[in-house]
Amino acid sequence: MRAGSALGRRLACAMGLVLLVPATMLQASVAAAEPGQVADGGNALAAGAGMTMVTFNLHHDRENWPERRKTILAELQRLQPDAIALQEVIQKRNVRNQAEWLATQLGYSYLFVSTDPLGVTKRYGNALLTRRPVVARNQHLLQPLRDYRTVGHLRIDVDGRPVNVYATHLNERSDDAGKRTRRIQVEDLLRFVSATSGGEPVVIAGDFNALVDAGDLSELRSRYGDSYGSVHVNNDLDSVSTLNSHYYQAPSRIDHIFFQQDAMVAREARLLFDTPDEGGRWASDHYGVWTRLQFAPAPGAMPR
């Protein structure tokens, strides 16, 4: 849940107010490989195609990362999601960038976003991974700047259909100050999405540190659907938690995958990493979320 603000405070003062600029001008790390070929988009859409996505808070390198990453990698290899949003990603002396390591093992492209300058020993932030061709990349430091929160963006090609995926991690405080900060971050996030999405479908994933119906997320929820809640609409969602019960007592579903409801439909959603491995080790202090989204039929399209 923590954002590691002490790490982020090394951000150079000269950075000042961060405006939207191409990712190549900010601090990003992108793998060179862009695996996969674009299929016939028309046929794929006609068949009800879509995409799968995972969001997961890595808990940086705590509690024996070299062992935890084996469990995480095995599950991601099994699922082969189209896109993965990661939070609490770290690199430091003797710890290779976690997003880079996972992307290399999976054969995915990746974008790592941090407020820590390039070249420093320790960097901390969020990441996006994808097995799809990447059409565009962007990143942004969210207002208020003192909180050192970021959002990363990739536009990916899903069988001929562009989709914008975003990854973020909002303020963790539960008091009124934290709620006000998250509200400001949501407003800035939505401005960034509007400026970068190009009118194509949008998926926004991450650790929001707030329940899906919280007031500080209301502007986001007014525009985008909650994939898990859409699929499990008849279930008691109050008892569902993405905070690992081994670490936290009260259930709290704060990790979300939001989707553009006029462009996509949530078909499946479930928790990941919600059981320990054979040795009793947990993958993280959070559970992950996996969802399958289907492209909505075009207006006026004849049903099949």
Side-chain angles (χ1 to χ4, degrees), residues 210-228:
L211 299 176
V212 73
D213 58 355
D216 27 313
L217 300 188
S218 60
E219 190 172 353
L220 179 62
R221 284 288 287 117
S222 69
R223 304 188 194 186
Y224 297 97
D226 163 32
S227 62
Y228 192 93

Side-chain angles (χ1 to χ4, degrees), residues 193-208:
V193 170
S194 178
T196 56
S197 60
E200 303 296 347
V202 168
V203 183
I204 306 171
D207 177 355
F208 291 82

Side-chain angles (χ1 to χ4, degrees), residues 1-303:
M1 294 177 67
R2 297 192 300 272
S5 60
L7 297 173
R9 297 187 193 281
R10 294 195 302 272
L11 177 65
C13 294
M15 191 171 185
L17 178 63
V18 176
L19 301 176
L20 175 63
V21 297
T24 54
M25 296 179 65
L26 287 173
Q27 301 139 12
S29 303
V30 182
E34 306 274 313
Q37 299 296 319
V38 179
D40 182 340
N43 291 339
L45 290 174
M51 61 171 287
T52 57
M53 185 158 189
V54 166
T55 187
F56 188 47
N57 185 315
L58 284 181
H59 197 38
H60 40 93
D61 64 328
R62 288 186 172 185
E63 301 183 48
N64 199 338
W65 165 246
E67 289 299 317
R68 290 196 296 116
R69 70 184 185 180
K70 296 176 184 178
T71 299
I72 296 167
L73 176 62
E75 182 68 349
L76 294 177
Q77 286 176 325
R78 186 184 71 83
L79 292 171
Q80 289 289 298
D82 292 292
I84 304 166
L86 298 175
Q87 305 84 49
E88 294 196 11
V89 178
I90 200 166
Q91 69 177 56
K92 62 183 184 180
R93 195 179 307 278
N94 300 323
V95 178
R96 182 181 178 184
N97 184 289
Q98 293 170 299
E100 179 186 29
W101 184 87
L102 284 168
T104 300
Q105 299 300 311
L106 292 166
Y108 280 33
S109 304
Y110 79 100
L111 171 71
F112 172 63
V113 184
S114 175
T115 61
D116 297 312
L118 281 168
V120 299
T121 301
K122 182 183 287 187
R123 300 185 74 213
Y124 181 92
N126 303 313
L128 278 166
L129 284 64
T130 183
R131 67 183 182 88
R132 296 290 188 167
V134 175
V135 179
R137 301 177 178 86
N138 288 287
Q139 58 179 293
H140 182 57
L141 178 60
L142 291 172
Q143 298 282 350
L145 300 182
R146 66 181 180 275
D147 199 40
Y148 304 93
R149 301 286 174 160
T150 64
V151 54
H153 164 237
L154 293 177
R155 185 177 303 151
I156 61 176
D157 189 315
V158 181
D159 297 326
R161 181 69 180 265
V163 178
N164 296 285
V165 291
Y166 297 85
T168 195
H169 186 183
L170 303 188
N171 183 275
E172 82 284 5
R173 292 176 59 173
S174 59
D175 58 11
D176 288 342
K179 294 175 183 177
R180 287 193 299 271
T181 298
R182 280 191 296 276
R183 188 173 291 110
I184 294 169
Q185 289 167 346
V186 165
E187 292 170 353
D188 198 28
L189 169 64
L190 292 174
R191 286 193 294 268
F192 176 74
V193 170
S194 178
T196 56
S197 60
E200 303 296 347
V202 168
V203 183
I204 306 171
D207 177 355
F208 291 82
N209 275 310
L211 299 176
V212 73
D213 58 355
D216 27 313
L217 300 188
S218 60
E219 190 172 353
L220 179 62
R221 284 288 287 117
S222 69
R223 304 188 194 186
Y224 297 97
D226 163 32
S227 62
Y228 192 93
S230 296
V231 170
H232 300 283
V233 66
N234 295 320
N235 295 347
D236 182 10
L237 295 180
D238 289 340
S239 63
V240 177
S241 179
T242 57
L243 294 181
N244 188 333
S245 60
H246 180 73
Y247 296 84
Y248 303 97
Q249 291 185 345
S252 189
R253 188 166 67 91
I254 63 173
D255 301 85
H256 309 299
I257 300 175
F258 295 105
F259 66 100
Q260 187 174 331
Q261 295 179 89
D262 62 347
M264 312 184 92
V265 180
R267 293 303 190 193
E268 297 179 77
R270 59 186 175 86
L271 300 181
L272 301 176
F273 309 116
D274 54 346
T275 56
D277 65 16
E278 293 180 354
R281 179 177 291 106
W282 293 91
S284 174
D285 64 337
H286 285 233
Y287 304 139
V289 180
W290 172 92
T291 192
R292 180 174 69 86
L293 301 168
Q294 181 179 324
F295 293 121
M302 296 294 293

